[in-house]
Amino acid sequence: MIFKIYSYFRGSFTNKNNMLVNFSIQNFGSIKDKQTLSFEADKSKHLEDYYVMNVNGLRLLKLGLIYGANASGKTTILKALDFLRTLVLNPKTQKTETFNFEPFLLDENTPTENTVFEIEFIQNETRYLYEVELNKEAIVREKLDVYNSRKSNVFERTTDFQIKIAKIEFGNKIKISKSAEDALENNTLWNNTVLGGYLKTNVASKELKDLIDWFNGYLSPLVHTQTTLDAFITSQINSSKIKKETLVSILKKADFNISNILIKEKEFEIPKISIILDGKSKSAIHELNKEQKFSVELEFEHTVGNNKYLLPFNNESQGTQRYYGFAGILSLLIGNSIMFSIDELESSLHPDLFQHFLLSFLVNSNKSQLIATTHNREILNNKDIFRNDVIWITDKDNENSATELYSLADFSTNVIRDTTNILNAYKLGKLGGTPNLGSYYINIDNESE
């Protein structure tokens, strides 16, 4: 899927410490039983200054890397997080609309069971726990708790499936009038979250606004391997959300020999078009007026010796094009509080550049988080720059082929010690997450029938 990522950003970036704490998934795609991705750091002090942020009394990690075999469920983790984001920010407008996802299908029971998401995060220095349970037709259950001195309920929602109506019970941690409660409940369709209903209702609530702001301003859309980032990054430069000089500096440090970025607006015209409506002698002909339009042309300046040369963006290598997007993401991660999810981070990148990107993020950011899937095995072989609790592995359960998610920090010291060569342990199958490959020999029957 190729899309312009900037169309999904409807809020502004923030400089506050807004963090993801935990994310749990059950019965979604290749995931059957509840699996949890956690950004809570373990007790290790290894590379503490680069990886760990102290927020609201929690030690939270900046980075999460998901490693595993093909079809083991790595991307499913990111898709689930992106699905929840879309569920909140793009509420359905009609009761008849259904959700586009699949539960775990390799089981007799799960196709008819509900899917469950739980997400714990910090927004505006407040810690929230949000839970939502759904099937393809509607939201079944929804709950929001807030942590202050103790956990308190903001709201709890259920759905009456006979009359297809949402029912919301408000807790004592939300200040909202009875008329606003009624309006919010009336606007929350059975296939809307309460947050989606809030987006369609003219009421004020700090807690509900906090959630919307987190999903809209902190959690970014998923960056797929096919996602085109250049238009989004260029728009961020034009709107001064990214400094061009910073981007050029990042590209220089990545050894791309780029000395400047040139962005030009090119004017073009939409010509008059005659449309014949009936194709007969008395045809009605409508003309579209000329309209001025603008397109953006992107060029990179390369300095070779004492000479400067301009190359159109489309003439650059695929790796250069992709890293232009990543350099922009890096700039946003450093200058704001934001989270990006990237599928197959190493795609089109040299292993050294892959590592350079991660280290640049870790050294320079202090308010953002990054989660990425990867096939780069070097992350398992370099304890000098990676912590065990940031490396996650997806594996398929032998019994039902469902995804299991765990981090290297989950292993006991009997499996992983400080002196253990993690890559060798992985190759020997001690950590799971390896493809179960058969013989190289392929028998092709060439006999004619």
Side-chain angles (χ1 to χ4, degrees), residues 189-440:
L189 302 180
W190 80 322
N191 56 355
N192 288 174
T193 64
V194 173
L195 304 179
Y198 171 76
L199 285 173
K200 299 185 289 185
T201 308
N202 189 28
V203 299
S205 165
K206 173 191 179 301
E207 291 78 15
L208 299 183
K209 183 179 183 300
D210 270 357
L211 263 71
I212 294 296
D213 288 347
W214 191 86
F215 280 102
N216 191 38
Y218 182 73
L219 183 61
S220 70
L222 170 59
V223 178
H224 296 266
T225 53
Q226 306 96 333
T227 301
T228 55
L229 290 167
D230 53 285
F232 166 62
I233 298 303
T234 303
S235 72
Q236 297 298 295
I237 296 173
N238 282 335
S239 61
S240 300
K241 293 179 180 178
I242 294 177
K243 292 183 179 179
K244 186 172 72 170
E245 295 77 16
T246 301
L247 204 59
V248 171
S249 175
I250 292 172
L251 291 171
K252 281 183 178 179
K253 291 178 185 295
D255 196 31
F256 280 105
N257 192 31
I258 293 172
S259 52
N260 199 4
I261 298 170
L262 283 78
I263 301 171
K264 302 176 182 178
E265 280 193 345
K266 182 180 179 181
E267 186 179 88
F268 66 94
E269 292 182 352
I270 296 179
K272 288 184 178 180
I273 302 175
S274 297
I275 305 174
I276 301 177
L277 297 181
D278 57 14
K280 298 179 181 179
S281 57
K282 295 181 179 180
S283 61
I285 299 178
H286 286 197
E287 290 189 344
L288 301 179
N289 293 328
K290 283 186 179 180
E291 188 176 351
Q292 301 291 334
K293 292 290 184 181
F294 295 90
S295 65
V296 174
E297 287 188 348
L298 181 62
E299 293 181 316
F300 289 162
E301 178 188 86
H302 295 260
T303 301
V304 181
N306 295 322
N307 298 319
K308 299 181 184 299
Y309 302 91
L310 292 179
L311 283 182
F313 178 79
N314 291 334
N315 285 19
E316 299 284 355
S317 70
Q318 186 174 353
T320 303
Q321 292 181 23
R322 185 162 172 81
Y323 204 77
Y324 170 70
F326 283 0
I329 286 178
L330 185 57
S331 178
L332 293 172
L333 287 167
I334 293 170
N336 303 275
S337 180
I338 189 172
M339 181 174 193
F340 274 95
S341 303
I342 303 176
D343 193 23
E344 296 190 14
L345 176 60
E346 77 282 359
S347 178
S348 300
L349 300 183
H350 187 278
D352 289 348
L353 187 55
F354 167 87
Q355 181 173 296
H356 177 82
F357 174 83
L358 291 177
L359 293 180
S360 297
F361 163 66
L362 291 168
V363 169
N364 295 283
S365 70
N366 55 21
K367 294 172 291 189
S368 296
Q369 290 169 298
L370 174 66
I371 176 174
T373 66
T374 180
H375 291 286
N376 191 325
R377 292 206 298 192
E378 292 188 17
I379 65 172
L380 304 177
N381 199 33
N382 200 333
K383 287 187 175 183
D384 291 336
I385 60 174
F386 291 110
R387 288 170 56 104
N388 286 347
D389 53 4
V390 306
I391 299 177
W392 293 78
I393 294 177
T394 51
D395 198 9
K396 286 290 187 73
D397 179 79
N398 291 330
E399 185 176 339
N400 53 33
S401 291
T403 295
E404 294 183 335
L405 176 69
Y406 47 87
S407 82
L408 293 183
D410 292 331
F411 288 94
S412 69
T413 55
N414 293 329
V415 179
I416 297 180
R417 300 183 178 89
D418 289 339
T419 57
T420 298
N421 185 310
I422 295 176
L423 180 56
N424 286 343
Y426 172 78
K427 290 178 178 178
L428 292 171
K430 292 182 178 181
L431 309 181
T434 56
N436 185 18
L437 304 176
S439 168
Y440 298 122

